[in-house]
Structure formats: structure tokens, C-alpha cells
Amino acid sequence: MDNSKPCIVQHDRMVLLECGHCAFEEAREQLSFYAELVKSPSSFHTYRITPLSLWNAAALGWSATRVVDSLHSMSRWDVPLGLIQDIRDLVSRYGKLTLEVDPNVPYQLILKSADTQLMDEVIQRVGMLLLGMRRISMTEMAFHGARRGWMKQELTRLGYPVIDLAGYDDGQRLSFSWKEAGAKESFQLRDYQKDAVKAFEGLPGSGGSGVVVLPCGGGKTVIGMAVMERLQCETLILTSNTTSVRQWMDEIALKTTLVASEIGEYSGQRKEVKPVTVATYQILTHRRTKDSEFEHMKLFNERQWGLIIYDEVHLLPAPVFRATAEIQATRRLGLTATLVREDGCEQDVFSLVGPKRYDMPWRQLELKGWIAKVDCVEIRVPMSIDLKDKYHCAEGKHKFRIAAENPAKLTVISRILQQHPQSCVLVIGQYLDQLEWISASIGAPLISGKMSQQERNGLYDSFRRGEVRILVVSKVANFAVDLPDASVAIEVSGSFGSRQEEAQRLGRILRPKSADNRAYFYTLVTKDSKEEDFAIQRQMFLIEQGYEYAIQVQPDPDMLTSINMKDRYIKGGHILQ
DNA sequence: CACGGTGGAA
DNA sequence: TGAGCTCCACCGTG
């Protein structure tokens, strides 16, 4: 055993990383390339090496040897031989199969592999299902190009992801450029943004489809536009909501020579199809009734798109995968801050949009000063004795809510507000009752989905101007792209364990700060309740990105204090000005 | 036809 | 494990 090493590598593909070890940071960085974090109890982070995590590494150019060497250099004991073999096997599978066009038969593709045994297996496994597929030699199989996406999906499921070299249609040409240097709007791509664009383009023949992972505030729209600018073609942009649709349109009009008449909005309100069209996912998947057809999917074929951009690709809904399978000859760029999905469709993103081409760890952007340095604190707030009784008597499904709405959280909120007397603060939560109560108690306005868009905008503006220092916000914070930036966020409750949600919320305070470039993220969790477990699950993604949550445990309650507090509220008095 | 409100879907 | 929010289509108004 070698205690100078931070990891324990197990034969079941799990890797335990000791927190607080002096080589922790470096090991975390290495693991982030080829493993995914699955658990993070206090003393050891648990990573899992999965086929998909290895294939994404392979797509970034990692060899099996490099993965094994990396593990070996961090492992306390010898890396299990079985695991080494697994890694060699899995990594080698990536690219055993390639997809190319048949130079002789139009619309025909050829699946190739030097491994004839593998070819036999593929024929056996997918051959029956696919009409018109035929073997043309020991190492080659031909099929119709319309099945390209379907084939890639099947082969990934089979465990042999194919490298797609069949190329792309360039689509209708569209000439434009960045607004010229010297103009007021001119700007420079940051180095990492240039790298991301280059990584997406790949070497000639490869690239042209895949995912770029960047934190909130990393400039994803800029990367999308930069890819468009390189390709000079008509482009379809899909994104999550109408505000984001307008943002894309505004950004494009502002930074490029494209003019408004060339940029269309395809949403519930407008149905424009122009050389650059921005649409919501929701309109594509909209159906009048449960089993009528998707009437807007035709958008994919309404023009000769040369590029499709999937903004927030982690939200891509299942029916859009199906449509995506049919347009594999079109270049595809996925953009996201968190490639993790809670529904296990990572594999479909991988096979249909493409592998991860670029990933910038959040902490590296922080070091360079592109985003704020954030202190994350988890505060464990005990329940009063009354509440403990209520909690233990409640049925399973009510327990979580009782814990989440623990009124003792209010004292902590007040204390935090006092600690940051000058800062702009967002109080973010899940339950409207709780938020209304908090809003009334601290005398700060509440923004929820009930509030009209106009009223929201008014409050956003006051907040931006500094007239309102504290905003209480519901789940609107998860969606509202126009919510102003703050430097302190207090999460008072959250949903079961959505890693995405936590990332979104942290993203609200990541924009660089003028003075010391620091921000604070507090998450309030009721001690000894189910909420603790969900909090851990939520935090997973950010821990994977290298954030650490300092844990503060509040002393057990003085029962009188919390009763007093409730009385004061009921009498309508504000606890804090 | 521009609205605001309602109900269904995810 | 479920509450909350958004988006879309429809249907009234004036």
C-alpha cells in the first residue's frame, strides 16, 4: 500500500478518491476526463468508470494506455488486472467501426471494420432488423443513408460506437461575418472559446458534430455564432424557451452582419422560417392531443440547414432525438453547462448529437477570472422539538416538505443577510408558501410564476439599479434567463436531487464581480431529515466540477426562540428590516 | 387582429 | 417520492 496516493481503484470500475489528500485536486482533474462522480460522502468521493465516460475520453483523444497510466499513478494499490483489460477493451471499441460513404452508390453508406468477427456479430445483432442491409465483403456492410442515425444508436447500444466519417451536406450557403473590428460592438473570442470551436471542427473528415460543455457565463452563444461564422451556412438553433430565443436573435443581430430580416423566430407566437431560425424545443414537440402527430417537426426540413445548434442539449426531449436521427447528414453542435441528464439519455446525446468535443472545467475559468470565485456553504438547520414530532409522524411523502419548510431557516437567512449588508442577494426556493412567508418576514419582494412578465421585468430592473437589494424567487430562477446577476444566493429548498438545478442556481452568481470577484452560495438543509440526502445528490455535479461545500451545523434549537419567531410573524412584525 | 385568460402537456 | 413553471393552442373580448 502506498499512502502517498489518493485513490483506491476497485475491480467493479469504482474509484474512491480520498478528500483532503494533498494530491486530491490533481486526481479530481484527471478523473473528470474518463469517470463520473456518483457519490460524495464526506471522506471519499466515489467515481465510476463507464463505457460512455471512456468513449467520451476516447473521442477527446485519450488512449487506453493513458487512462491506465493515469489510474496507476494515483492508485494506492495495483490497478486490478481485470479492470485494465476492461478499459483496454472498451476504449478500443471506440472506432473499431467506421462509417463512410459509398463512392459508387448514391445515398449508400458503408460500415467498415478490420475485425471480421465483430462484423459477423453486428450483422447478427442488427442485420435482421434492417431491411436492405447487405454485406459486401468480409469487412464491409452497406445500407441506406437514411438509416445513419438509427445505425449509430444501435451500435452504441451494442457497445461499439462508430466513428462517423460519412461527412455532411453543407446546406444552403449564407455569407456573413462578425461586425468589423473598431465597431462599437466588436469583440474578441477568448482563447478557450477559440479552442472549443477548433475542437468542434476537428480534423478534416472527423468533427462537425458533437457537444461543447461550458459553464454558465462561459459564452455559449458566442461559440454557437463562431461555429456559424466558420461554416457560413443557414442554421437552425433550438433552445429551451422564448426568452432564450430572443437572446440568440439579439446577440446574432448585434455581433454579426446578419440583419433582422435574415433571423427568424419559430415559437408559439411567431412562425418565421428564415436563413437563421431560432425555435423552442417545446414547439417541436407540441401535440394537440396525446396521440396526434408532431406538426412542427417539419421545421427540420423546411430549409437546407447546414448546421443545427442544440442549446442546452441536456434538455433535449425524446421526440427531438428521433428527428435528429433522421438528419445525421447535417452538422450538429450541442451546447450545455451540464452534460448530465437525470433520465439516462446520455447515450442518445452521444450517438445522435455527437461525442463531447470540449469541456472546460469550471474551476479553470475561475482561476482565469472569467467567472467569480464562489464559496459554497451547506448549513444544517435543526428542527424545533415540535417540528421533529410532526416530521416523524408524517407520511413519507410529506416528510420532505416539512423538513424543507423548517421555519428555523429564517433565523439563518437573517444572519446571512447581516453578513452581506451591501450585496445583491437572491433567496431561491421551491415552495410558494414558504417563499411567501420568507418574503413577508424579511420584507423583500417575491417573484414567482404567478407574477406577470411585466411586473417581473420591473423588479429585475430595480434590482439591477440597486433599489431593491434582495429578491425572493421561486423556480422561475431555473428558467428566467433575464434574471439579473447577484453575488449571494441562498437556497432555502430544492427538488429531489436535480444536479442541473443546483448548477443553474450557482450559475446565477458566477458572473465576474468588479471588486474582489467573489460570490457566496448558501444552501439551507434541515438537519437529520431526508433533505440532507437530496442535498448531497444535488451537489454532485458541482462537486465534480471541483466545488467544495463547507458544512456548518447549527446548534440544536432553543425551542422558545422558534416559537417566538413564529408569533412575531403571525402578528405581522418584520423580523429583519 | 391584438390582447388576456384558460386548460392541457411535459 | 411532487410542486411549480413554461409553452402552446384556443377562445373569448373590444
Side-chain angles (χ1 to χ4, degrees):
Chain A
M1 189 169 95
D2 182 354
N3 258 330
S4 64
K5 305 295 181 63
C7 292
I8 295 167
V9 182
Q10 301 181 161
H11 63 273
D12 61 356
R13 300 185 188 168
M14 296 295 201
V15 180
L16 306 181
L17 169 60
E18 185 186 339
C19 308
H21 192 283
C22 59
F24 172 83
E25 263 306 314
E26 204 196 319
R28 191 193 58 73
E29 175 99 35
Q30 291 274 310
L31 285 168
S32 73
F33 282 99
Y34 54 82
E36 60 182 89
L37 187 67
V38 286
K39 265 187 282 177
S40 61
S42 49
S43 52
F44 281 93
H45 287 181
T46 307
Y47 286 83
R48 182 169 51 209
I49 298 174
T50 67
L52 205 59
S53 68
L54 286 172
W55 295 332
N56 270 317
L60 289 174
W62 281 64
S63 65
T65 307
R66 188 168 164 201
V67 175
V68 172
D69 287 351
S70 163
L71 281 173
H72 188 74
S73 72
M74 304 184 303
S75 178
R76 225 165 262 187
W77 294 291
D78 282 343
V79 180
L81 272 179
L83 178 61
I84 294 180
Q85 268 167 8
D86 280 359
I87 290 172
R88 291 202 184 284
D89 173 46
L90 283 165
V91 173
S92 76
R93 289 173 177 220
Y94 180 78
K96 261 199 180 149
L97 294 164
T98 58
L99 206 55
E100 294 167 36
V101 289
D102 187 330
N104 304 312
V105 186
Y107 307 114
Q108 186 156 285
L109 296 177
I110 300 180
L111 184 69
K112 291 188 182 179
S113 174
D115 184 340
T116 56
Q117 263 188 336
L118 174 58
M119 220 50 194
D120 292 342
E121 197 188 332
V122 168
I123 299 261
Q124 258 195 348
R125 295 286 289 275
V126 299
M128 312 281 194
L129 304 168
L130 189 48
L131 256 70
M133 188 181 80
R134 56 201 181 82
R135 194 161 188 170
I136 52 179
S137 74
M138 285 304 282
T139 60
E140 294 172 311
M141 191 181 86
F143 64 98
H144 194 275
R147 292 296 207 151
R148 182 167 167 182
W150 181 88
M151 180 66 87
K152 285 160 71 175
Q153 239 176 325
E154 282 307 310
L155 292 173
T156 302
R157 282 184 196 143
L158 196 58
Y160 291 90
V162 62
I163 293 186
D164 185 347
L165 302 173
Y168 305 96
D169 300 335
D170 289 328
Q172 182 63 46
R173 190 181 156 79
L174 176 66
S175 304
F176 70 97
S177 60
W178 298 107
K179 285 216 172 125
E180 61 184 277
K184 215 168 99 189
E185 302 87 352
S186 83
F187 75 107
Q188 285 280 311
L189 282 185
R190 299 169 184 168
D191 285 345
Y192 71 85
Q193 291 169 333
K194 287 182 191 161
D195 290 344
V197 174
K198 235 183 265 169
F200 174 76
E201 289 175 330
L203 304 168
S206 73
S209 68
V211 177
V212 169
V213 183
L214 273 186
C216 316
K220 288 193 283 287
T221 25
V222 169
I223 289 186
M225 286 190 287
V227 169
M228 287 168 63
E229 193 271 338
R230 297 281 298 164
L231 293 174
Q232 298 284 307
C233 59
E234 298 200 351
T235 300
L236 174 62
I237 300 165
L238 305 178
T239 188
S240 53
N241 57 53
T242 43
T243 319
S244 167
V245 167
R246 314 254 157 81
Q247 278 197 345
W248 272 95
M249 296 173 72
D250 292 347
E251 281 280 286
I252 292 167
L254 185 73
K255 293 199 166 80
T256 72
T257 56
L258 289 166
V259 294
S261 63
E262 295 167 296
I263 310 168
E265 167 179 340
Y266 197 95
S267 67
Q269 289 120 71
R270 289 152 166 259
K271 302 279 184 295
E272 302 162 346
V273 184
K274 297 191 183 169
V276 172
T277 297
V278 194
T280 58
Y281 285 124
Q282 258 178 282
I283 194 152
L284 291 177
T285 57
H286 185 265
R287 283 186 286 188
R288 284 160 201 273
T289 63
K290 263 193 183 172
D291 29 32
S292 53
E293 61 188 62
F294 300 106
E295 42 197 313
H296 296 291
M297 285 291 181
K298 62 182 191 316
L299 184 57
F300 278 103
N301 300 310
E302 288 221 348
R303 293 186 83 103
Q304 297 282 309
W305 310 117
L307 171 68
I308 298 180
I309 298 178
Y310 300 85
D311 192 17
E312 320 266 8
V313 70
H314 59 283
L315 299 175
L316 208 158
V320 179
F321 278 119
R322 259 166 266 147
T324 302
E326 288 163 19
I327 47 107
Q328 291 292 306
T330 305
R331 289 188 173 81
R332 303 170 304 282
L333 168 64
L335 297 170
T336 184
T338 66
L339 198 42
V340 288
R341 295 178 67 107
E342 320 292 348
D343 68 353
C345 285
E346 289 91 345
Q347 218 174 59
D348 292 327
V349 175
F350 179 87
S351 54
L352 293 179
V353 180
K356 182 165 77 180
R357 301 291 182 188
Y358 188 82
D359 190 353
M360 170 59 102
W362 292 31
R363 297 306 289 273
Q364 278 190 22
L365 289 187
E366 180 186 298
L367 284 175
K368 301 240 169 75
W370 295 117
I371 57 178
K373 181 169 174 8
V374 184
D375 282 349
C376 299
V377 185
E378 177 186 321
I379 302 176
R380 304 228 172 117
V381 188
M383 287 180 274
S384 70
I385 298 189
D386 289 356
L387 198 65
K388 264 183 202 160
D389 280 352
K390 211 173 142 198
Y391 178 81
H392 285 114
C393 296
E395 259 187 84
K397 62 177 179 181
H398 297 303
K399 277 195 160 135
F400 182 61
R401 182 151 184 169
I402 291 172
E405 295 189 312
N406 181 359
K409 287 181 177 178
L410 185 60
T411 332
V412 182
I413 296 171
S414 306
R415 200 196 71 214
I416 295 170
L417 291 175
Q418 281 164 357
Q419 282 168 359
H420 301 278
Q422 308 294 331
S423 308
C424 291
V425 183
L426 293 174
V427 178
I428 312 174
Q430 159 99 339
Y431 301 105
L432 294 179
D433 296 345
Q434 179 190 30
L435 292 171
E436 276 161 21
W437 183 64
I438 291 172
S439 161
S441 305
I442 64 177
L446 165 66
I447 299 181
S448 78
K450 288 181 196 161
M451 185 180 267
S452 77
Q453 201 61 52
Q454 277 187 0
E455 265 182 291
R456 292 186 213 183
N457 288 335
L459 281 171
Y460 292 158
D461 280 342
S462 326
F463 192 71
R464 258 186 282 266
R465 285 197 300 265
E467 295 156 17
V468 174
R469 185 173 77 85
I470 306 164
L471 280 184
V472 182
V473 289
S474 69
K475 265 180 96 163
V476 287
N478 294 13
F479 306 93
V481 267
D482 43 1
L483 179 66
D485 184 50
S487 55
V488 178
I490 308 174
E491 182 182 48
V492 295
S493 52
S495 54
F496 303 120
S498 169
R499 294 170 283 181
Q500 269 174 46
E501 183 176 271
E502 190 90 341
Q504 279 275 6
R505 290 175 169 181
L506 185 87
R508 292 298 175 195
I509 54 172
L510 280 179
R511 196 186 303 273
K513 306 289 177 285
S514 46
D516 56 355
N517 205 29
R518 276 186 162 273
Y520 302 86
F521 186 78
Y522 298 93
T523 178
L524 272 44
V525 171
T526 292
K527 192 170 164 254
D528 304 318
S529 79
K530 287 188 166 190
E531 224 190 355
E532 287 186 339
D533 304 332
F534 292 130
I536 290 177
Q537 178 61 30
R538 278 207 303 269
Q539 293 164 8
M540 201 84 74
F541 174 75
L542 293 174
I543 291 172
E544 200 167 1
Q545 292 296 328
Y547 287 96
E548 284 169 42
Y549 287 76
I551 296 180
Q552 285 180 15
V553 182
Q554 296 286 108
D556 246 75
D558 172 359
M559 210 171 75
L560 288 174
T561 317
S562 56
I563 289 174
N564 276 345
M565 206 153 58
K566 213 146 190 186
D567 281 351
R568 275 204 267 174
Y569 166 67
I570 289 163
K571 286 173 196 149
H574 288 179
I575 287 185
L576 194 91
Q577 197 51 300

